[in-house]
């Protein structure tokens, strides 16, 4: 019985060892990719990443070659703690992308989801200079007719999009949009309807010379078996001359695809329940009713 | 008003906070008459559920009187006596319409955070971290109840608070755990954990026709309650090897279904297993200690069901996936769809089939919440369930 448990322990340790070696190799061979994956700034992190990699491999090989593995297992455990401490500092530094840090923390904390996130990072690269494009879908338990009817009145959008101050009709299928920008400022532009297929599709685009060149399309696709409507949204923002994409991204409180996800969820809540779930204004044993730390980040 | 607030690990304080207000049309305000501390609250108290903030109001098991309703609430009136279910559910979405209330798509304002952690977000829950909505809880004098036209159930009979309070969570939770076992005549069910959830799971297994229930824990008073109140056979895992004992008790085949009513903070009497999980959890290399779950998976018979009401938060290591696959196990779990069970279980209480108040060992004023948490967490004074009473 006791012997069996020991054997089992040995075999479990082997698994951990191979994970260590794999992770270590990745850190040594592709330190930049790894650093990006975990959301750390590129320049400073290569050496650090390689160091971590060497440590991973040492502990991995240690586990594989030692008869008594517990010491090496501890090294591995300590190593993980080191990784987490570093991720922790990345989490609090403004430069790092918190999404990635969260993902990487999850990875180090027990799943090797690295390739998954690497591939996601790759698809995000290059967004520094080019257009920002985002797509998002959501299923809403209402008819395409109802959803189209709501969205066709652009002036209602601020109800579901917290970053909009107002959208006013100015005639000829044009609207004046005012959005919040950092430091209490606003950005404004005029946009026109460019396509309108009742109950199916609405597309709009900012007029030439706008402060923020942007376009959007929303499609309403009837879901099968009375499951409502599948809503697809695509948005595109192009940086005006002299303004890099990163600055545009700063117009958003959070990453644009996360922003539109949040907005679509509010759209769904409003259409399905008649209200938008909220806790702002509730009681709490502190000065603010909600948590700044979490809510700002996900409610935007 | 007074409310029990979380200020950190092992730090619950009763603070004076603003009274709640109606914020949405479908809200109601409940003046709380009784509220309980749950094993789930201990995961917050022990610091294992992330995204808690200093000052968060705790509590998700409460009942009381409606004192205000929003313009959209037509089913309740001021003065109604209600029990409030812990999941906040809209009643309109795909999942609510299927009766999967705890999977509601519309009630978690922080769904983005939950999606990062779990892929998709469940419903919002009262007083249960910002991951689950950041809603103020019900260990307080008053609470704001969103979607009040869907959740709260009116109590029209003159049953005591203590007889109906647990409709808010643990009775339905134990019941759903048993229902998930798909119990057939002759079945033996093994239940890990004899806390309040385990107690109601055991009781419900018998209600649903189980032949035998084997209850596992290490606290004599909890094992005794399982024997006395429900007629379970019991095993103390500090005194016997659970896998051997279960095999012996079930003619070598293993229990037909297993229930993990322990969750992420399982304890292990001895051995490297416990050390392994303790170290990993403390260093945040895994968030959950799945000791009872592993045992349940290994013990369950071929083709059996493992039902998991115990709460897990994130990631766990060394789950015997080979056992799950090769034995053809079914795993069923979830935050309880409380709204689905309130009416039928209330009827059982009204008929006198069951009086859920038997799990209560301690009654204290809300002001003593801090002491109540400590007592329940440390199992002092044979504490099994605490009910708190706000003094209005
Ligand atoms: N699914 C839901 O909706 C839901 C609702 C309520 C509670 N819960 C969860 O159910 C679990 C139990 O809740 P509770 O209120 O009964 O809590 P509790 O803390 O009173 O009970 C847990 C019991 O498990 C026992 N235990 C610990 N390690 C064990 C092991 N290895 N083997 C056997 N028993 C062990 C403890 O001694 C204790 O008696 C918690 O995880 C709680 O969060 C889930
Ligand atoms: Zn509970
Ligand atoms: Zn719902």
């Amino acid at each position: 019985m006791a012997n069996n448990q020991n054997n089992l322990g040995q075999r479990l340790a082997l698994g951990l060892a191979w994970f260590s070696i794999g992770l270590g190799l990745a850190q040594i061979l592709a330190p930049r990719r790894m650093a990006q994956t975990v959301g750390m700034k590129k320049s400073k992190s290569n050496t650090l990443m390689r160091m971590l990699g060497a440590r991973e491999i040492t502990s991995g090989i240690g586990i594989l070659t030692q008869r008594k593995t517990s010491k090496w297992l501890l090294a591995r455990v300590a190593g993980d703690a080191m990784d987490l401490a570093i991720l922790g500092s990345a989490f609090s530094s403004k430069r790092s992308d918190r999404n990635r840090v969260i993902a990487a923390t999850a990875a180090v904390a027990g799943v090797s989801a690295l390739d998954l996130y690497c591939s996601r990072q790759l698809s995000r690269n290059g967004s520094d200079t080019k257009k920002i494009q985002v797509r998002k879908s959501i299923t809403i338990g209402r008819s395409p007719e109802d959803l189209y009817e709501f969205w066709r009145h652009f002036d209602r959008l601020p109800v579901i999009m917290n970053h909009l101050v107002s959208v006013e009709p100015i005639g000829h299928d044009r609207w004046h949009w005012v959005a919040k920008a950092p430091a209490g400022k606003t950005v404004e532009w005029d946009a026109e309807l460019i396509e309108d297929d009742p109950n199916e599709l609405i597309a709009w685009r900012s007029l030439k010379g706008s402060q923020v060149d942007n376009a959007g399309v929303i499609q309403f696709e009837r879901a099968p078996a009375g499951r409502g409507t599948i809503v697809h949204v695509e948005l595109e923002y192009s940086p005006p001359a002299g303004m890099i994409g990163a600055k545009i991204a700063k117009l958003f409180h959070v990453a644009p695809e996360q922003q539109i996800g949040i907005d679509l969820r509010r759209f769904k809540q409003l259409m399905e329940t008649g209200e938008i779930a909220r806790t702002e204004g509730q009681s709490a044993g502190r000065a603010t009713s909600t948590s700044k730390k979490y809510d700002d980040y996900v409610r935007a | 008003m007074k409310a029990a607030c979380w200020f950190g690990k092992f730090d619950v304080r009763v603070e004076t906070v603003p009274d709640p207000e109606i914020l949405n049309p479908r809200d109601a305000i409940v003046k709380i008459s009784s509220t309980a501390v749950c094993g789930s609250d201990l995961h917050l108290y022990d610091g294992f559920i992330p995204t808690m903030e200093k000052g968060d109001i705790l509590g998700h098991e409460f009942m009381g009187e409606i004192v205000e309703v929003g313009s959209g609430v037509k089913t309740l009136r001021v003065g109604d006596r209600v029990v409030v279910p812990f999941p906040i559910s809209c009643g309109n979405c795909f999942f609510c319409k299927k009766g999967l209330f705890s999977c509601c798509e519309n009630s978690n304002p922080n769904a983005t955070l939950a999606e990062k952690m779990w892929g998709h977000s469940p419903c919002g829950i009262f007083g249960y971290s910002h991951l689950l909505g950041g809603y103020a809880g019900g260990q307080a004098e008053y609470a704001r109840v969103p979607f009040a036209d869907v959740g709260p159930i009116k109590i029209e009979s003159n049953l005591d608070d203590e007889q109906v309070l647990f409709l808010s969570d643990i009775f339905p939770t134990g019941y759903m755990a048993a229902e998930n076992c798909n119990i057939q005549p002759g079945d033996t069910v093994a239940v890990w954990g004899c806390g309040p959830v385990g107690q109601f799971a055991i009781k419900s297994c018998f209600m649903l026709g189980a032949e035998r229930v084997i209850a596992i824990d290490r606290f004599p008073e909890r094992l005794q309650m399982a024997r006395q109140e429900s007629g379970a056979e019991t095993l103390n895992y500090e005194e016997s090897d659970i896998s051997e004992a279960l095999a012996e008790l079930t003619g070598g085949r293993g229990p037909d279904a297993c229930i993990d009513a322990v969750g992420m903070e399982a304890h292990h009497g001895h051995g490297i297993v416990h050390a392994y999980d303790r170290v990993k959890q403390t260093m945040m290399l895994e968030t959950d200690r799945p000791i009872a779950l592993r045992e349940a998976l290994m013990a369950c018979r071929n083709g059996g069901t493992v039902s998991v009401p115990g709460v897990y938060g994130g990631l766990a290591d060394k789950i015997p996936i080979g056992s799950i696959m090769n034995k053809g196990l079914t795993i069923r779990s979830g935050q309880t769809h409380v709204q689905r069970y309130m009416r039928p279980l209330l009827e059982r209480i009204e008929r006198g089939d069951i009086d859920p108040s038997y799990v209560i060992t301690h009654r204290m004023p809300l002001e003593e919440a801090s002491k109540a948490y400590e007592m329940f967490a440390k199992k002092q004074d044979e504490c099994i369930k605490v009910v708190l009473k706000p003094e209005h």
Side-chain angles (χ1 to χ4, degrees):
Chain A
M1 188 66 211
N3 212 350
N4 272 347
Q5 264 188 6
N6 256 336
N7 282 340
L8 184 67
Q10 288 288 341
R11 264 175 261 137
L12 297 183
L14 283 188
L16 271 176
W18 284 112
F19 177 73
S20 279
I21 291 178
L23 188 63
L25 280 175
Q27 284 171 331
I28 289 185
L29 299 178
R32 291 184 65 191
R33 176 87 56 78
M34 284 296 295
Q36 263 174 280
T37 303
V38 301
M40 295 196 318
K41 276 292 289 176
K42 287 169 208 160
S43 52
K44 287 187 203 148
S45 51
N46 285 7
T47 333
L48 186 59
M49 266 294 157
R50 290 219 166 90
M51 242 174 66
L52 293 178
R55 186 265 298 154
E56 278 292 344
I57 291 185
T58 322
S59 77
I61 292 176
I63 294 170
L64 285 179
T65 54
Q66 291 288 309
R67 297 254 89 200
K68 273 195 188 164
T69 51
S70 61
K71 214 168 74 190
W72 294 101
L73 262 183
L74 270 183
R76 161 103 182 94
V77 167
D80 283 349
M82 209 161 125
D83 290 349
L84 283 168
I86 288 163
L87 293 170
S89 67
F91 195 89
S92 50
S93 108
K94 274 205 193 117
R95 288 233 168 105
S96 311
D97 175 341
R98 286 211 231 163
N99 292 352
R100 291 184 210 176
V101 176
I102 289 175
T105 307
V108 175
V111 287
S112 56
L114 297 174
D115 19 12
L116 189 78
Y117 285 100
C118 279
S119 62
R120 284 199 66 196
Q121 296 327 316
L122 283 181
S123 67
R124 278 192 202 163
N125 277 350
S127 62
D128 264 11
T129 48
K130 291 188 198 121
K131 291 175 191 163
I132 297 175
Q133 272 175 316
V134 293
R135 308 170 56 108
K136 202 86 190 179
S137 305
I138 197 165
T139 305
I140 303 182
R142 293 285 293 268
S143 66
E145 290 76 12
D146 293 345
L147 301 182
Y148 167 87
E149 151 68 19
F150 179 93
W151 203 280
R152 184 65 180 75
H153 295 89
F154 286 97
D155 53 311
R156 293 174 183 164
L157 293 185
V159 176
I160 55 168
M161 298 183 168
N162 278 2
H163 63 284
L164 290 179
V165 178
S166 63
V167 181
E168 301 286 345
I170 50 176
H172 307 290
D173 279 340
R174 291 179 176 190
W175 284 263
H176 182 68
W177 299 57
V178 181
K180 291 176 198 159
K185 295 193 186 125
T186 55
V187 267
E188 309 188 13
W189 65 90
D190 291 339
E192 65 182 341
L193 191 70
I194 52 174
E195 225 178 308
D196 181 17
D197 299 340
N199 308 328
E200 282 181 18
L201 180 148
I202 305 169
W204 63 97
R205 186 166 61 203
S206 59
L207 298 184
K208 276 221 153 41
S210 294
Q211 213 177 345
V212 181
D213 186 12
N214 70 91
V217 57
I218 182 166
Q219 269 175 285
F220 307 98
E221 179 197 330
R222 199 177 297 277
R227 291 184 180 201
T229 303
I230 301 169
V231 177
H232 305 278
V233 172
E234 275 184 67
L235 299 176
E236 195 179 289
Y237 305 87
S238 314
M243 192 189 198
I244 56 159
K247 265 206 182 143
I248 288 225
K250 273 196 192 147
L251 294 177
F252 297 90
H253 197 63
V254 296
E257 73 258 35
Q258 183 171 319
Q259 178 75 65
I260 187 65
I262 292 168
D263 295 342
L264 283 179
R265 188 176 289 113
R266 286 205 197 93
F267 182 37
K268 175 182 167 74
Q269 289 171 359
L270 186 65
M271 298 308 292
E272 290 186 355
T273 75
E275 60 188 45
I276 294 171
R278 59 177 285 184
T279 55
E280 296 83 356
Q282 72 177 2
S283 337
R286 58 173 171 263
T288 51
S289 63
T290 63
S291 157
K292 260 207 119 17
K293 186 156 127 209
Y294 299 111
D295 302 354
D296 272 7
Y297 174 53
V298 292
R299 297 184 182 190
Chain B
M1 66 166 182
K2 290 264 193 279
C5 302
W6 186 94
F7 279 92
K9 204 171 163 178
F10 310 139
D11 188 0
V12 170
R13 301 177 209 160
V14 176
E15 298 279 300
T16 301
V17 306
D19 285 354
E21 286 168 23
I22 300 271
L23 301 175
N24 266 339
R26 294 171 65 185
D27 289 354
I29 305 292
V30 175
K31 179 180 175 190
I32 294 165
S33 54
S34 296
T35 173
V37 185
C38 178
S40 301
D41 294 326
L42 294 183
H43 303 320
L44 307 174
Y45 184 70
D46 296 338
F48 285 115
I49 302 278
T51 74
M52 287 298 289
E53 282 282 277
K54 285 186 169 51
D56 284 345
I57 300 176
L58 292 163
H60 59 265
E61 302 183 355
F62 59 98
M63 63 177 298
E65 184 192 326
I66 300 282
V67 289
E68 201 182 337
V69 292
S71 58
V73 181
K74 306 290 176 221
T75 49
L76 292 174
R77 288 206 181 143
V78 170
D80 283 348
R81 182 171 174 237
V82 295
V83 179
V84 179
F86 80 82
I88 301 173
S89 315
C90 77
N92 308 104
C93 71
F94 178 76
F95 296 103
C96 284
K97 283 186 186 157
K98 279 183 177 301
L100 301 172
F101 290 95
S102 76
C103 300
C104 177
E105 291 181 297
N106 286 324
S107 60
N108 184 356
N110 297 338
T112 312
L113 208 57
E115 282 173 355
K116 291 231 156 69
M117 193 105 166
W118 298 321
H120 300 277
S121 173
C123 66
I125 294 180
F126 292 101
Y128 214 72
S129 86
H130 291 267
L131 205 51
L132 293 172
Y135 286 97
Q139 285 160 10
E141 287 182 68
Y142 296 88
R144 164 191 170 232
V145 177
F147 303 122
D149 51 341
V150 174
I153 185 171
K154 255 194 268 187
I155 306 296
E156 278 151 320
S157 47
N158 51 6
L159 293 162
D160 290 343
D161 272 19
E162 292 184 354
Q163 292 175 285
V164 291
L165 173 61
F166 301 138
L167 287 171
S168 59
D169 179 351
I170 51 172
F171 183 20
T173 295
Y175 190 86
M176 183 167 115
E179 197 181 68
N180 278 343
C181 291
N182 184 27
I183 294 168
Q184 304 297 310
D187 273 3
T188 298
V189 184
V191 179
W192 276 256
C194 296
V197 169
Q199 299 292 341
F200 286 123
I202 295 163
K203 194 76 146 187
S204 303
C205 285
F206 283 118
M207 281 182 186
L208 292 168
E211 182 75 25
R212 297 163 67 197
V213 178
I214 302 166
I216 305 160
D217 206 303
R218 77 175 187 283
F219 292 102
E221 65 277 11
R222 293 180 176 223
L223 292 169
Q224 189 192 339
M225 183 181 274
R227 278 193 303 271
Q228 263 178 8
E229 297 289 339
S230 308
E233 297 158 58
T234 57
L235 290 174
N236 184 327
Y237 66 86
E238 286 193 319
E239 288 163 10
S240 44
D241 180 308
I242 293 304
S243 59
E244 277 172 19
L246 285 176
E248 203 49 46
L249 284 167
T250 56
R253 186 180 271 167
D256 300 282
C258 293
I259 295 179
D260 169 3
V262 178
M264 66 195 295
E265 288 186 67
H267 157 271
H268 198 285
H270 47 77
I272 193 159
V273 183
H274 188 63
Y276 172 84
D277 287 301
R278 266 317 277 256
V279 168
K280 290 208 85 169
Q281 195 177 29
T282 311
M283 300 182 99
M284 293 188 50
L285 303 176
E286 70 178 347
T287 54
D288 304 81
R289 291 200 301 265
I291 295 164
L293 181 61
R294 284 189 201 121
E295 270 181 17
L297 291 166
M298 292 299 281
C300 193
R301 74 152 162 83
N302 287 3
T305 300
V306 175
S307 161
V308 188
V311 161
Y312 289 90
L315 304 160
D317 286 358
K318 311 294 173 281
I319 298 296
I321 182 72
S323 168
I324 298 173
M325 191 277 158
N326 289 287
K327 296 199 297 182
L329 299 181
T330 300
I331 300 181
R332 305 201 63 186
S333 190
Q335 299 283 358
T336 306
H337 309 301
V338 177
Q339 288 85 339
R340 189 161 91 191
Y341 299 98
M342 288 180 110
R343 173 84 35 212
L345 294 184
L346 173 62
E347 280 165 14
R348 279 182 186 267
I349 299 170
E350 283 171 343
R351 278 205 306 268
D353 295 355
I354 178 174
D355 178 354
S357 63
Y358 73 89
V359 296
I360 304 173
T361 50
H362 292 76
R363 298 153 177 93
M364 296 158 89
L366 174 67
E367 272 72 11
E368 288 175 32
S370 173
K371 194 172 138 208
Y373 269 86
E374 191 184 353
M375 188 174 227
F376 181 43
K378 295 185 179 162
K379 272 82 185 166
Q380 291 165 343
D381 195 28
E382 307 199 341
C383 179
I384 297 177
K385 188 77 180 176
V386 191
V387 173
L388 300 171
K389 293 267 180 189
E391 281 163 359
H392 290 280

